[in-house]
Amino acid sequence: MTKVAIVGSGFIGRAWAISFARAGHEVRLWDHLPEATEGARGYIAGVLGDLAANDLLRGQTPDEVLARIAVVADLGEALDGATHIQENTPEKRDIKRDIFERIDAGAGPDAVIASSTSALLPSTFTDHLDGRHRCLVVHPINPPYLVPAAEVVPAPWTSPETLEKTRAFLISAGHAPLVMTRELDGFIMNRMQGALLEEAFRLVADGYASVEDVDIGIRDGLALRWSFMGPFETIDLNAPGGVRDYVERYQSIYSNIFPQMMRRVDWAGEVMKTVEADRRGKLPREKLVERQVWRDRRLMALAAHKRKSDEEFGE
Amino acid sequence: MTKVAIVGSGFIGRAWAISFARAGHEVRLWDHLPEATEGARGYIAGVLGDLAANDLLRGQTPDEVLARIAVVADLGEALDGATHIQENTPEKRDIKRDIFERIDAGAGPDAVIASSTSALLPSTFTDHLDGRHRCLVVHPINPPYLVPAAEVVPAPWTSPETLEKTRAFLISAGHAPLVMTRELDGFIMNRMQGALLEEAFRLVADGYASVEDVDIGIRDGLALRWSFMGPFETIDLNAPGGVRDYVERYQSIYSNIFPQMMRRVDWAGEVMKTVEADRRGKLPREKLVERQVWRDRRLMALAAHKRKSDEEFGE
């Protein structure tokens, strides 16, 4: 059991609290705005009920998990004894610099200090700290209690020991860490998402495909194999001699297309009218929240399915 | 019930035969090499058994489906009365031009003639035909009896009626057609796969991530939501105000990365040593076939899960 401090109690902070408490850790949740934490335990209790219904609490009851999550009024109380600290404040460099300074000053010597940022490189908000060797980014895909992948991104001064402790901690909590060798804008996942979205927006902007066609091609096509193998294993199994054979057979298809990918389309420009008309035609704006609930239920069912398939067929 | 002719009895042809026969159509399978069809019915019977075990035969027995698949020795016999013809010969322009000529001459006036090609544009092998208005590409992801998406790609002279008949036929067979407005290299799915793979190879070539990290980021991260929503619905639900709000908040992350995506890495170059070492370390070459069987079993379990979730939560 590890003591974990969650700094910032928005959706990401609450979601991490659920994930870490489910794994058996003692979690203390703090926010600089006391009122921000008010609904937090009620919200978390609701999610835990849904998780229990999908057998995603490792056999625990919601109350057992909830009992390991405390909301505290003082940052020092949250940090006291914590060996993993997960920061989730707004995506502003100055805010991060300031809160990391406070955390570094208050945390024990063995603590790792991780930021959930998706937008900022760790070097931009940890360079000024005495304990900068123990600072890094741990970037989740929301919600982390359903999506295992988490990116571990070091600053140039992050120690190997910090990386190793973070990797081990995440694995112990049921996560699948991607440990980068050095920081890079967009990390790994948003870079791959961005590459795919660039092509998706280009196809729609140029009138070759509809928004719905693109979504069908992924949800009823490519993402099925990707959802349990990833893109490299997928192509490794798509040619008799494995990945090298695949590349020898098919690279020319991709290299021929590549020059057409060097042109960027402004996603907020003309194409957005088409994208928004398609999406709002399928889902009126007032139903977005209801659909987010649907998404999380489907993600829970998928998580339960994947665990069962891992057990039955192997990973 | 439609009569369907399958021309070419390799893995793609056999897989289409399974999909169309399962949907209730009468399928005749022909190959210019008689010996190529020899093992076809035995192979198909084996797949049908696996599908039945996953409740993926619409309540039919394997024998009921198999009874609708006949191997015929003569192309004319396969084409007689067929209203959908699916061609699956090798990816050579001259072979396609020749077989399309033979099919066009022998098929009835109402028949649609579709090629499974992933590499050739339909205009390059149908321009010389009297019936070129009824020719097009229907490109599956293998195996089509487990992956619903299929790309429908017209040549400039393909008639709207042909497109509409093809779309309706595919939907009746349980497929999810993506109907392109006009032909384009790579169609839709391989373009999106290519965009993502380009970034994946760059990340590995530049040493930021391992092959396994990339696969984790997709299979335990991005592809979970994509596998039931697609990329546009995913971002539509990732900001309070929907897709336009998402783009206003986050486009700068992607536009900052974009210039770094204008550099191509030769997939067969230095990086292939790293990719192949990682993949062969995880899966020796002699286990590729065994792992392909595993992949298809997992795909079957996933297809069954998706159908159940569609029924329980809605699509």
Side-chain angles (χ1 to χ4, degrees):
Chain A
M1 188 205 70
T2 299
K3 286 190 178 174
V4 178
I6 305 282
V7 175
S9 66
F11 284 107
I12 308 283
R14 295 170 187 196
W16 277 126
I18 291 167
S19 187
F20 295 148
R22 174 177 59 184
H25 303 304
E26 292 292 332
V27 175
R28 275 158 302 176
L29 183 63
W30 174 84
D31 202 290
H32 77 294
L33 295 171
E35 61 271 28
T37 59
E38 264 170 28
R41 284 186 99 244
Y43 171 85
I44 289 170
V47 173
L48 290 171
D50 283 344
L51 290 170
N54 284 280
D55 191 18
L56 292 171
L57 286 187
R58 302 182 173 197
Q60 305 166 96
T61 66
D63 282 348
E64 286 171 320
V65 177
L66 192 61
R68 287 195 289 272
I69 299 174
V71 174
V72 298
D74 181 70
L75 177 60
E77 193 183 344
L79 299 178
D80 183 38
T83 52
H84 184 89
I85 299 155
Q86 188 74 35
E87 172 277 326
N88 317 273
T89 60
E91 297 277 32
K92 301 280 183 199
R93 184 163 171 260
D94 289 345
I95 295 176
K96 300 277 192 210
R97 289 181 75 83
D98 182 57
I99 192 72
F100 262 72
E101 205 170 309
R102 292 177 65 190
I103 296 171
D104 189 41
D110 291 338
V112 163
I113 313 175
S115 172
S116 298
T117 183
S118 67
L120 299 169
L121 296 178
S123 65
T124 63
F125 56 89
T126 64
D127 59 292
H128 58 309
L129 303 176
D130 290 341
R132 64 184 194 169
H133 66 282
R134 54 159 164 179
C135 297
L136 78 178
V137 164
V138 175
H139 172 236
I141 292 202
N142 213 22
Y145 51 79
L146 293 177
V147 183
E151 296 175 306
V152 178
V153 187
W157 40 79
T158 304
S159 70
E161 191 196 353
T162 299
L163 278 177
E164 194 39 56
K165 278 160 71 174
T166 305
R167 181 210 293 268
F169 171 68
L170 287 169
I171 289 174
S172 80
H175 284 281
L178 299 69
V179 182
M180 294 188 73
T181 54
R182 55 194 194 280
E183 63 183 19
L184 179 68
D185 289 315
F187 312 146
I188 294 172
M189 290 191 283
N190 273 339
R191 292 180 77 89
M192 291 197 288
Q193 172 166 250
L196 187 138
L197 284 173
E198 295 288 358
E199 183 58 22
F201 274 100
R202 261 192 306 269
L203 284 165
V204 174
D206 295 348
Y208 287 104
S210 71
V211 168
E212 175 69 1
D213 284 334
V214 166
D215 275 356
I216 290 173
I218 299 294
R219 76 168 183 249
D220 295 315
L222 292 166
L224 301 188
R225 294 173 303 186
W226 287 349
S227 75
F228 59 89
M229 297 195 293
F232 277 117
E233 183 164 10
T234 295
I235 63 173
D236 193 32
L237 298 183
N238 260 355
V243 64
R244 183 184 290 274
D245 186 22
Y246 179 92
V247 167
E248 283 165 5
R249 287 168 189 248
Y250 303 116
Q251 176 168 223
S252 66
I253 295 181
Y254 301 110
S255 60
N256 287 342
I257 296 169
F258 187 76
Q260 302 163 20
M261 294 186 175
M262 297 175 75
R263 171 179 54 91
R264 186 154 203 281
V265 165
D266 177 11
W267 302 359
E270 273 298 300
V271 66
M272 180 49 73
K273 291 179 192 164
T274 308
V275 173
E276 200 171 31
D278 183 288
R279 288 303 311 152
R280 291 293 71 79
K282 290 226 150 38
L283 185 73
R285 187 172 166 146
E286 64 271 20
K287 297 214 165 170
L288 280 167
V289 169
E290 186 183 310
R291 189 75 172 169
Q292 285 160 354
V293 173
W294 168 89
R295 173 196 63 196
D296 288 351
R297 299 245 152 114
R298 287 217 52 153
L299 263 179
M300 284 188 205
L302 179 60
H305 159 76
K306 281 194 73 174
R307 194 192 52 194
K308 189 162 154 277
S309 279
D310 286 350
E311 286 163 8
E312 191 171 345
F313 304 107
E315 281 175 57
Chain B
M1 188 206 70
T2 298
K3 286 192 178 171
V4 178
I6 306 281
V7 175
S9 67
F11 285 107
I12 309 283
R14 296 171 186 196
W16 277 126
I18 291 167
S19 187
F20 296 148
R22 175 177 59 184
H25 302 303
E26 291 294 331
V27 175
R28 275 158 301 177
L29 183 62
W30 174 84
D31 202 289
H32 78 294
L33 296 171
E35 62 270 29
T37 59
E38 264 170 28
R41 285 187 98 244
Y43 172 85
I44 289 169
V47 173
L48 289 171
D50 283 344
L51 289 170
N54 284 279
D55 191 18
L56 292 171
L57 286 188
R58 303 183 174 195
Q60 304 166 96
T61 66
D63 282 349
E64 286 171 319
V65 177
L66 192 60
R68 287 195 287 273
I69 300 175
V71 174
V72 299
D74 180 71
L75 176 60
E77 193 183 345
L79 298 179
D80 182 38
T83 51
H84 184 90
I85 300 155
Q86 188 76 35
E87 173 277 327
N88 318 273
T89 60
E91 297 276 31
K92 302 280 182 199
R93 185 163 170 261
D94 289 345
I95 295 177
K96 300 278 192 211
R97 288 181 75 83
D98 182 55
I99 192 71
F100 262 72
E101 205 170 308
R102 292 177 65 190
I103 296 171
D104 189 40
D110 290 338
V112 163
I113 313 176
S115 172
S116 299
T117 183
S118 67
L120 299 170
L121 296 179
S123 64
T124 63
F125 57 88
T126 64
D127 59 292
H128 58 310
L129 303 176
D130 289 339
R132 64 185 194 168
H133 66 281
R134 54 160 164 179
C135 297
L136 77 179
V137 164
V138 175
H139 172 235
I141 293 201
N142 211 23
Y145 52 79
L146 292 178
V147 182
E151 296 174 306
V152 178
V153 187
W157 40 78
T158 305
S159 71
E161 190 196 353
T162 300
L163 279 176
E164 194 38 56
K165 277 160 72 175
T166 305
R167 181 210 293 269
F169 172 69
L170 288 169
I171 289 174
S172 80
H175 284 282
L178 298 69
V179 183
M180 294 188 73
T181 54
R182 55 194 194 281
E183 64 182 19
L184 179 67
D185 288 316
F187 311 145
I188 294 172
M189 290 192 281
N190 273 339
R191 291 180 78 88
M192 291 197 289
Q193 172 165 251
L196 187 137
L197 284 173
E198 294 289 356
E199 183 57 22
F201 274 100
R202 262 192 305 270
L203 284 164
V204 174
D206 294 348
Y208 286 104
S210 70
V211 168
E212 175 69 2
D213 284 334
V214 166
D215 274 356
I216 291 173
I218 299 294
R219 77 168 182 248
D220 295 315
L222 292 166
L224 301 187
R225 294 173 302 186
W226 288 348
S227 74
F228 59 89
M229 297 196 292
F232 277 117
E233 183 165 10
T234 295
I235 63 173
D236 193 33
L237 298 183
N238 259 355
V243 64
R244 183 184 290 275
D245 185 22
Y246 179 91
V247 167
E248 282 165 4
R249 287 168 190 248
Y250 303 116
Q251 177 168 220
S252 66
I253 295 181
Y254 301 109
S255 60
N256 287 342
I257 297 169
F258 187 76
Q260 302 163 21
M261 293 188 176
M262 296 174 75
R263 172 179 55 91
R264 187 156 202 280
V265 164
D266 177 12
W267 302 358
E270 274 297 300
V271 67
M272 181 48 73
K273 292 179 192 164
T274 309
V275 173
E276 200 171 32
D278 182 288
R279 287 303 311 153
R280 292 293 71 79
K282 291 228 148 37
L283 185 73
R285 186 171 167 148
E286 64 271 20
K287 297 214 166 171
L288 279 168
V289 170
E290 187 183 312
R291 187 75 171 169
Q292 286 160 354
V293 173
W294 167 89
R295 173 196 62 198
D296 288 351
R297 299 245 151 112
R298 287 216 53 151
L299 264 180
M300 284 187 203
L302 180 60
H305 158 76
K306 281 194 73 174
R307 194 192 51 193
K308 188 162 155 275
S309 279
D310 286 350
E311 287 164 6
E312 191 172 345
F313 304 107
E315 281 175 57

